[in-house]
Amino acid sequence: MPRLPERFYSRVKPTPFEAPHHLISFNPDVARLLGIDPDRVSPAEWIDLISGRRLPAECEPLAMLYAGHQFGHVVPQLGDGRATLLGEIRNQQGEKYDIQLKGSGLTPYSCGGDGRAVLRSTIREYLCSEAMHGLGIPTTRALAIVGSDAEVYREQIETGAILARIASSHLRFGSFEVFYHRDQHDAVQQLADFVIAEHYPDLATHDKPYVALLEEVVRRTARLIARWQAVGFAHGVLNTDNMSILGLTLDYGPFGVMEQYQPGYICNHSDFHGRYAFDQQPGIGLWNLNRLAQALIPLMSVEQAKVTLEQYEPLFVDHYFELMHAKLGLKNQDDMSRELISDLLSAMQANQVDYTRLFRALCDFVPPPQARNEAIRNLFVEREAFDIWAQQYRRQLEREQNHVTSRREAMRQVNPKYVLRNYMAQIAIDKAQQNDFSEIDRLLDILRDPFAEHPDMDHYAGEPPGWANQIEVSCSS
């Protein structure tokens, strides 16, 4: 981040684990995205880089400063407490990416923490960020995991690991908040100018560039959270310091992909009051945008900020229903089609239906009376609830003159067969703790392309095992 002065960050070097390091998993797709031929870099060289033992001569590592609202309460200073930004790399297409090491040791912002990450949480972020990318949802990406036998304490003693992740930027809403709360409004403007120049250059000539910046972040955030809702993803810790200024899914902790459809699903065991429950995410997105708008008030009027924030809800609703219509293979949106979607979700909730499995099964729906769709009916406790809805669906398809074959193919492109369920990640974690890392790469293969059949992995598209409900994830996950 060479064009920003040091009040925006602290220079810091990663601290390698003292214990030996080993390469747990490497993602060649991300290496190629960075313009690096993965075959020209040896595993030992990746280990040296990601552990922080040997950095390029031109590398000037830093930890970023930010603040945030955590569970609704302002924390005036946070920052990268366990992450080191190595620098920026530009690929052959001119795209720029930050490379960050997560779990790389103490920084000035560690706030009493150890600056480390455990293998468990590192595997979860590694797999989920790539799973989200496979689903077409904006996200940070994961390059590799380097592990160590060094001990790290969370709820218990675990082995440590370092995650190398990339993003066009790791700037967040809290990056602006910290200077607003310090009354350093010149820094707010300096950061806004930097973000516009680096990431939204078309806004530079706008007559109100800062209003246009807020408007773009509102749009991206609305679309991002609509995509989460459509796929059943719950982030778990939507603090403002975990909200990307580019509309990326950022900082995977106690996430969860909903299994049985329950709108009030809480994936974070630490979220005692359900602030970040699945059905609260759209509203929290707006609440967080209000905090960003507050930080940008030195650059615009209150009325301009208010008018811009009013765009969020219609943007979210329109994109959400656009996605849900696509999941049902519907061509037209009207009151009847929206009612059809709402009725299906109500029936799913009442009948404890698995969200991902149902929408994938609906790809093969044949309008009655040609078929009874037994495989779909059997996902419902009360089969009659599905039968009633199936008649509504049939009538909607008839109104649209919707052809079965074309609809099936279109639906298979938007309804994944595979999502990263917590129990899948747990299997990979359990094996990795026994020094078997094969399951990580096996899962990575299907999550990169979750819409394909992968017949040898069918068991991961079936009903989750009974013990899956016993998994708890928290803010240390």
Side-chain angles (χ1 to χ4, degrees):
M1 207 179 293
R3 283 173 290 274
L4 286 174
E6 288 197 26
R7 64 173 165 173
F8 291 92
Y9 53 85
S10 295
R11 296 197 181 277
V12 61
K13 291 186 177 180
T15 307
F17 287 108
E18 292 183 4
H21 300 77
H22 45 275
L23 190 62
I24 289 176
S25 185
F26 173 74
N27 189 345
D29 288 354
V30 172
R32 294 186 191 98
L33 180 64
L34 296 174
I36 301 170
D37 182 349
D39 296 327
R40 295 176 68 96
V41 183
S42 70
E45 289 174 305
W46 284 119
I47 291 171
D48 281 348
L49 173 66
I50 295 167
S51 69
R53 285 196 304 212
R54 188 172 301 163
L55 301 179
E58 65 275 16
C59 185
E60 297 182 356
L62 58 88
M64 298 168 62
L65 169 67
Y66 45 85
H69 280 76
Q70 299 196 320
F71 286 87
H73 303 287
V74 64
V75 182
Q77 179 174 305
L78 294 164
D80 288 332
R82 56 174 176 167
T84 305
L85 185 65
L86 294 186
E88 183 181 87
I89 190 169
R90 186 190 297 266
N91 64 18
Q92 291 90 333
Q93 291 73 43
E95 299 165 329
K96 292 179 289 187
Y97 293 98
D98 289 348
I99 302 179
Q100 188 182 69
L101 305 182
K102 188 171 181 179
S104 54
L106 291 172
T107 80
Y109 314 118
S110 295
C111 298
D114 58 13
R116 295 302 187 187
V118 296
L119 178 61
R120 168 177 49 91
S121 63
T122 303
I123 290 173
R124 283 173 55 81
E125 177 160 356
Y126 182 77
L127 289 174
C128 196
S129 59
E130 289 305 292
M132 295 291 270
H133 177 72
L135 292 167
I137 297 174
T139 179
T140 57
R141 302 285 307 276
L143 173 63
I145 302 174
V146 165
S148 169
D149 295 332
E151 294 182 344
V152 177
Y153 180 76
R154 291 297 179 262
E155 284 93 351
Q156 58 188 2
I157 294 176
E158 303 181 53
T159 55
I162 297 174
L163 173 74
R165 70 180 184 185
I166 72 165
S168 298
S169 174
H170 288 86
L171 287 168
R172 342 135 175 258
F173 292 8
S175 303
F176 289 89
E177 287 186 278
V178 64
F179 296 106
Y180 173 78
H181 290 297
R182 293 177 175 183
D183 290 325
Q184 295 176 352
H185 297 169
D186 62 320
V188 173
Q189 182 170 357
Q190 192 172 12
L191 184 57
D193 288 340
F194 173 82
V195 170
I196 289 170
E198 290 292 307
H199 304 290
Y200 300 107
D202 292 346
L203 304 183
T205 57
H206 197 282
D207 59 341
K208 296 183 178 66
Y210 306 122
V211 176
L213 172 61
L214 178 60
E215 189 174 65
E216 183 63 19
V217 179
V218 166
R219 184 187 70 82
R220 291 193 184 202
T221 303
R223 291 178 65 86
L224 174 68
I225 297 180
R227 293 179 185 185
W228 291 353
Q229 302 303 113
V231 82
F233 173 79
H235 184 281
V237 195
L238 278 183
N239 298 328
T240 58
D241 51 289
N242 292 335
M243 295 288 289
S244 162
I245 204 71
L246 300 184
L248 306 175
T249 311
L250 178 70
D251 283 345
Y252 293 86
F255 65 81
V257 179
M258 201 164 42
E259 293 179 353
Q260 294 180 353
Y261 179 70
Q262 294 295 333
Y265 168 59
I266 302 170
C267 65
N268 181 357
H269 187 60
S270 306
D271 187 4
F272 305 113
H273 303 293
R275 176 180 176 84
Y276 298 137
F278 175 75
D279 60 358
Q280 299 302 303
Q281 291 184 140
I284 289 295
L286 179 58
W287 193 93
N288 288 342
L289 284 164
N290 270 272
R291 306 290 75 75
L292 174 63
Q294 180 184 39
L296 293 174
I297 281 300
L299 310 180
M300 65 187 71
S301 70
V302 171
E303 185 60 28
Q304 287 171 329
K306 180 180 177 182
V307 169
T308 302
L309 290 168
E310 287 172 351
Q311 299 174 26
Y312 173 84
E313 185 174 355
L315 283 168
F316 167 80
V317 170
D318 287 350
H319 193 49
Y320 173 74
F321 276 108
E322 177 187 340
L323 295 169
M324 296 303 291
H325 278 75
K327 288 176 74 68
L328 288 177
L330 301 178
K331 301 174 184 176
N332 306 319
Q333 286 200 47
D334 54 30
D335 290 343
M336 295 181 70
S337 65
R338 288 194 175 195
E339 182 180 352
L340 178 72
I341 293 167
S342 297
D343 288 349
L344 174 61
L345 295 176
S346 295
M348 290 170 66
Q349 180 181 2
N351 285 270
Q352 304 173 19
V353 178
D354 186 285
Y355 187 85
T356 301
R357 294 179 67 212
L358 176 68
F359 277 102
R360 184 69 177 193
L362 283 170
C363 298
D364 296 320
F365 176 84
V366 177
Q370 293 97 312
R372 284 177 55 80
N373 298 288
E374 289 293 349
I376 308 174
R377 292 180 82 242
N378 290 339
L379 296 174
F380 288 74
V381 175
E382 297 179 1
R383 274 58 167 182
E384 296 78 9
F386 171 75
D387 294 338
I388 293 169
W389 181 82
Q391 292 296 337
Q392 290 178 260
Y393 191 27
R394 175 186 63 78
R395 289 191 291 271
Q396 184 69 25
L397 295 174
E398 287 176 351
R399 279 193 294 270
E400 295 186 0
Q401 298 182 330
N402 204 316
H403 191 271
V404 171
T405 303
S406 59
R407 173 175 52 81
R408 178 184 295 130
E409 292 307 311
M411 290 174 67
R412 285 181 179 274
Q413 300 302 311
V414 296
N415 289 305
K417 182 176 179 179
Y418 301 95
V419 292
L420 181 63
R421 300 172 186 266
N422 276 330
Y423 87 89
M424 295 163 62
Q426 190 61 47
I427 290 173
I429 291 164
D430 291 343
K431 289 186 175 181
Q433 289 170 339
Q434 301 301 317
N435 294 317
D436 178 359
F437 309 127
S438 60
E439 190 70 11
I440 299 172
D441 293 333
R442 189 176 297 116
L443 288 175
L444 204 62
D445 283 342
I446 63 168
L447 296 171
R448 284 191 186 107
D449 189 8
F451 304 100
E453 286 297 322
H454 302 289
D456 56 328
M457 300 294 279
D458 263 345
H459 57 288
Y460 279 139
E463 185 175 353
W467 58 267
N469 293 328
Q470 301 170 18
I471 297 173
E472 292 182 349
V473 292
S474 66
C475 287
S476 69
S477 298

